[in-house]
Amino acid sequence: MNTAAKFGGLGTIIGLMLGYVPVQYDLYVALFIIACGAATAMIPPPHAGSKWVWAYQLMTTIGLNIGWAENRLKPGVSALRVSRDDKPAAKEAVQAQGIPVLNKKGKPEAAAH
């Protein structure tokens, strides 16, 4: 599913849910969403086995960190930044060391030969 579809679907759900919030509380709900987004930008993710993983993921979802706004740091996963030109060589080098390269869904990719 592409990012635009995810964002559109989530936006629709949030819009429908906000329809049930009394008008006098709209500002507080908006501030809560903004606070969750800001907190996920400042708080590093917990390690994969932590009891706080579920809370961190809930906070990122409430903060609307999806698609391109999604945090690049996730619980239990690190990132290796390389230029686009070097990406195939970097993936091959990492896989050659027996380290799985994960796809966007956190599943190991098939080794490139």
Side-chain angles (χ1 to χ4, degrees):
M1 181 180 264
N2 69 22
T3 302
K6 288 180 186 175
F7 188 70
L10 186 59
T12 302
I13 291 169
I14 291 170
L16 290 172
M17 290 173 54
L18 287 176
Y20 293 105
V21 175
V23 176
Q24 67 265 27
Y25 299 117
D26 282 350
L27 175 64
Y28 301 112
V29 172
L31 289 175
F32 181 66
I33 292 170
I34 292 168
C36 286
T40 57
M42 294 183 288
I43 299 171
H47 63 84
S50 172
K51 64 181 180 180
W52 294 103
V53 168
W54 69 270
Y56 187 83
Q57 290 173 336
L58 178 65
M59 184 173 59
T60 60
T61 302
I62 292 171
L64 302 177
N65 289 329
I66 57 171
W68 286 102
E70 184 178 8
N71 293 355
R72 296 297 170 222
L73 297 175
K74 299 180 189 232
V77 178
S78 67
L80 174 65
R81 294 188 179 267
V82 295
S83 70
R84 287 184 192 256
D85 294 338
D86 294 333
K87 183 177 177 180
K91 285 174 88 171
E92 187 176 318
V94 169
Q95 288 174 333
Q97 293 296 315
I99 302 169
V101 175
L102 306 179
N103 62 19
K104 290 181 181 180
K105 296 186 179 206
K107 304 291 183 201
E109 290 183 0
H113 296 292

